[in-house]
Amino acid sequence: MRRTPHDVLVGPAERLERAEALDPVAAKVRDRVRHILGPGAARDLLNGVPLGHPLHPALAQLPLGTWLSAGIVDLLGGRDERSERAVRVLIGSGLLAAAAAAAAGLADYSELRQRQLRVGVAHAGANSLAAGCYLGSLLARWGRHDRLGRRLGLAGLAVAGTSAYLGGHLAYRQASGVNHAEEVARLLPPGWHRVARVDELAPGRPEVRLLGEVPLLLLRQGDHVDVLADRCSHLAGPLHEGRVVIDDGVTCVRCPWHGSTFRLADGAVAHGPATAGQPRLEVAVSHGDVEVRLSDAGVS
């Protein structure tokens, strides 16, 4: 049977998803990153919480762009000192940008599922190999071994391109970094709907109710009830199984899977790894019934 582009490109990436031999290495890298970073403002920044979407994909464009530019100059430019100096600057800039992209990527990597981790560790390994090729290229050029430098640079570009494909597989085939709560607005029926009785809800304890196909998190505090979409925007963890915490004086719920923390008042992200907020529903209590609807303001 004739092989298709799908077989050539997607097949190896899908085999990586099933490669259990990668699990020990993937777990060690994940645990090490978690130990080094820990929770806090630095981790939130690397995850991209202030931006509202992951930081790593944006940073990853910088080394790829500079290294591709260096490759074009190597292939089409002259062999004069000016061209060589430009290539050295491009490669060096790419190495600096790669360090920043790696830090953000590792922060995201440390909170992935098992099959994602397998592809992620291969992606990180390929990035490391590409950076090694470019570092070798830079050293060779400084030593006036320009031909070796060009060969190492082009090899690095090929490896970086392969790694970028794996990064795309993580994002678009395995849904790493996407908003897993985005579909809530489409699935919820319009208008007001009864979801519970106030006296059914234990004060201070998250509970879950279904509205159509959508699970909702309900938290009663006195006569007040907050309602958020239950599936965490990070990787669809069940928020109702998490903890209610006070963060900077604000009541929040923390996802039990990876620790993403959301404010109950508006669904906004207090701490990552989630970068997209939880859809929040308007609540009305009438004759002891809890009724909800999704408004435009409730979609974070």
Side-chain angles (χ1 to χ4, degrees):
M1 183 181 295
R2 186 176 180 179
R3 300 187 73 192
T4 66
H6 180 280
D7 298 326
V8 175
L9 295 173
V10 181
E14 291 180 339
R15 286 193 290 274
L16 278 175
E17 293 182 32
R18 302 187 294 270
E20 296 182 4
L22 293 173
D23 288 349
V25 175
K28 286 182 179 178
V29 175
R30 177 199 62 200
D31 294 345
R32 185 61 178 166
V33 173
R34 286 179 178 177
H35 176 74
I36 293 173
L37 284 181
R43 186 188 188 94
D44 286 346
L45 178 62
L46 290 173
N47 285 141
V49 173
L51 296 178
H53 59 76
L55 177 62
H56 174 66
L59 292 180
Q61 307 310 307
L62 300 177
L64 283 173
T66 55
W67 290 342
L68 178 60
S69 299
I72 292 173
V73 174
D74 269 340
L75 289 173
L76 302 179
R79 296 289 180 260
D80 57 282
E81 179 58 29
R82 185 176 180 180
S83 296
E84 287 298 329
R85 184 167 60 251
V87 170
R88 290 196 296 269
V89 170
L90 287 167
I91 290 175
S93 300
L95 286 169
L96 292 175
L106 287 169
D108 293 342
Y109 168 88
S110 66
E111 304 296 350
L112 296 179
R113 297 191 183 108
Q114 192 64 54
R115 290 170 71 93
Q116 294 170 331
L117 283 171
R118 294 167 185 163
V119 178
V121 77
H123 174 61
N127 281 334
S128 299
L129 178 58
C133 287
Y134 276 109
L135 179 59
S137 174
L138 194 59
L139 294 174
R141 293 168 195 271
W142 278 337
R144 298 300 179 182
H145 303 293
D146 294 341
R147 180 176 295 181
L148 175 60
R150 286 192 290 273
R151 289 176 177 174
L152 285 172
L154 294 175
L157 184 59
V159 176
T162 302
S163 181
Y165 179 82
L166 292 177
H169 187 86
L170 266 168
Y172 300 112
R173 288 294 296 269
Q174 294 186 288
S176 167
V178 304
N179 178 6
H180 287 260
E182 175 64 23
E183 64 180 2
V184 167
R186 176 178 61 84
L187 294 176
L188 280 176
W192 289 95
H193 300 273
R194 178 188 178 278
V195 291
R197 294 279 300 173
V198 173
D199 54 16
E200 295 174 353
L201 306 175
R205 187 179 72 191
E207 299 197 26
V208 65
R209 296 290 189 275
L210 277 175
L211 177 55
E213 303 175 49
V214 180
L216 302 176
L217 163 76
L218 285 75
L219 182 71
R220 174 187 173 189
Q221 300 179 84
D223 293 329
H224 178 76
V225 180
D226 288 299
V227 180
L228 301 179
D230 184 60
R231 297 303 181 194
C232 177
S233 65
H234 175 232
L235 284 176
L239 290 183
H240 72 277
E241 296 180 10
R243 294 175 53 204
V244 176
V245 298
I246 304 298
D247 184 88
D248 199 22
V250 178
T251 304
C252 303
V253 61
R254 180 174 294 155
C255 180
W257 284 7
H258 303 108
S260 297
T261 305
F262 303 94
R263 298 196 305 239
L264 284 163
D266 57 8
V269 180
H271 296 292
T275 57
Q278 289 297 112
R280 184 182 186 278
L281 281 76
E282 291 185 52
V283 179
V285 178
S286 176
H287 304 293
D289 290 332
V290 179
E291 297 182 345
V292 301
R293 73 172 180 181
L294 184 71
S295 67
D296 291 340
V299 183
S300 301

